[in-house]
Amino acid sequence: MQNKNSLKPDKKTFVSVVVENIKAIVIALIIALVIRAFVVQAFKIPSGSMLETLQIGDFLFVNKFIYGVRNPFSNKTIIPISKPKRGDIVVFEFPKDRTKDFIKRVAGVEGDRVKVINNHLFLNGKLIKENYIKNDNDFSYLENSSSFDASQSSTNFQEQVVPKDCYFMLGDNREKSYDSRFWGFVHKDLIVGKALIIYWSWDSYAPISKILNTIRWKRIGTLIND
């Protein structure tokens, strides 16, 4: 006959299993934090400043590794890999409030002479053909409108040279984008990473009852091309 005591779980075995599970959870959390700090970060598109390229309700993965390994506390580059180039769509910390992340297209790099006239970009004296920009005359959906000075023209920017280690950022939806024309250049240490892929997309303002109809299935898994 089997001893009843043999049916009871060994205390040491139970403790060992708990400890191993805790170790596994801790390791998983560390790996997740490392990935978020150095490799990939999720980002949601909250406004229409990058239409039609990016839609309100797009959820992206941002490649943080492509421009180099950074100190997660100071955001200083430890190991440089590459630099943002013209046309890259990047996420960066808003220079006026570093608690906010913005997403725009790099329009000018260090040393470039940049100018915007009637929403058209001039780079080093030449008009740049931008097939991705969206123009209209409706100013009702300007992001961060509380910070927007309506007395300024949102279409023009007097020619300036992009400073060392800085970038000039523009939204594709020129008339509805709060970008470098209003608050200046973005230093390299503020750049989070390059937009990589859309992993989810839907109309987040639609009622829950119609959620299936608002999912943009064709956008899910789309690589973000410059």
Side-chain angles (χ1 to χ4, degrees):
M1 181 178 288
Q2 190 174 14
N3 190 331
K4 287 185 178 180
N5 290 331
S6 66
L7 298 177
K8 294 181 181 179
D10 184 80
K11 230 178 206 182
K12 289 184 179 179
T13 303
F14 176 76
V15 171
S16 176
V17 170
V18 171
V19 170
E20 288 303 315
N21 285 334
I22 291 174
K23 284 182 181 178
I25 292 171
V26 170
I27 291 171
L29 287 173
I30 291 173
I31 291 173
L33 289 172
V34 168
I35 290 174
R36 187 185 185 282
F38 298 106
V39 185
V40 173
Q41 181 175 326
F43 183 82
K44 176 187 175 183
I45 302 300
S47 75
S49 70
M50 285 296 292
L51 289 170
E52 299 289 331
T53 308
L54 298 174
Q55 305 287 320
I56 301 171
D58 280 351
F59 289 75
L60 320 174
F61 281 132
V62 176
N63 185 340
K64 302 183 72 172
F65 185 73
I66 190 169
Y67 299 133
V69 178
R70 296 173 181 269
N71 183 324
F73 302 103
S74 65
N75 212 30
K76 298 277 187 182
T77 301
I78 302 170
I79 305 174
I81 295 178
S82 66
K83 294 182 178 180
K85 63 181 185 297
R86 299 184 197 98
D88 283 0
I89 297 175
V90 301
V91 171
F92 55 92
E93 296 175 2
F94 179 40
K96 301 296 184 183
D97 182 355
R98 295 187 61 173
T99 64
K100 297 178 180 178
D101 286 337
F102 273 24
I103 184 166
K104 305 291 178 188
R105 190 183 294 270
V106 177
V109 300
E110 174 184 330
D112 282 340
R113 289 183 290 113
V114 293
K115 177 171 63 174
V116 180
I117 299 178
N118 294 330
N119 286 325
H120 297 291
L121 173 67
F122 288 79
L123 196 61
N124 301 316
K126 296 182 179 180
L127 174 64
I128 303 301
K129 186 177 181 180
E130 302 173 282
N131 296 326
Y132 45 77
I133 68 169
K134 175 181 171 63
N135 291 324
D136 58 46
N137 297 314
D138 178 14
F139 287 81
S140 63
Y141 201 97
L142 182 69
E143 67 171 314
N144 293 286
S145 57
S146 60
S147 305
F148 173 67
D149 183 358
S151 66
Q152 298 186 54
S153 168
S154 69
T155 61
N156 300 331
F157 179 82
Q158 187 175 358
E159 185 174 85
Q160 293 187 37
V161 176
V162 181
K164 179 178 173 59
D165 294 331
C166 290
Y167 299 90
F168 184 73
M169 305 291 189
L170 290 174
D172 289 358
N173 192 1
R174 288 292 148 81
E175 290 187 344
K176 298 178 182 180
S177 177
Y178 185 51
D179 49 39
S180 286
R181 293 171 293 176
F182 303 99
W183 39 256
F185 303 101
V186 176
H187 192 271
K188 66 177 184 179
D189 290 341
L190 297 182
I191 293 179
V192 174
K194 181 180 179 182
L196 178 62
I197 189 172
I198 298 171
Y199 69 87
W200 179 254
S201 182
W202 69 322
D203 182 358
S204 55
Y205 295 101
I208 296 296
S209 59
K210 297 182 179 180
I211 184 172
L212 290 178
N213 296 328
T214 63
I215 299 174
R216 306 179 186 120
W217 298 103
K218 290 183 178 180
R219 294 186 65 79
I220 297 174
T222 301
L223 291 172
I224 300 170
N225 299 314
D226 300 334

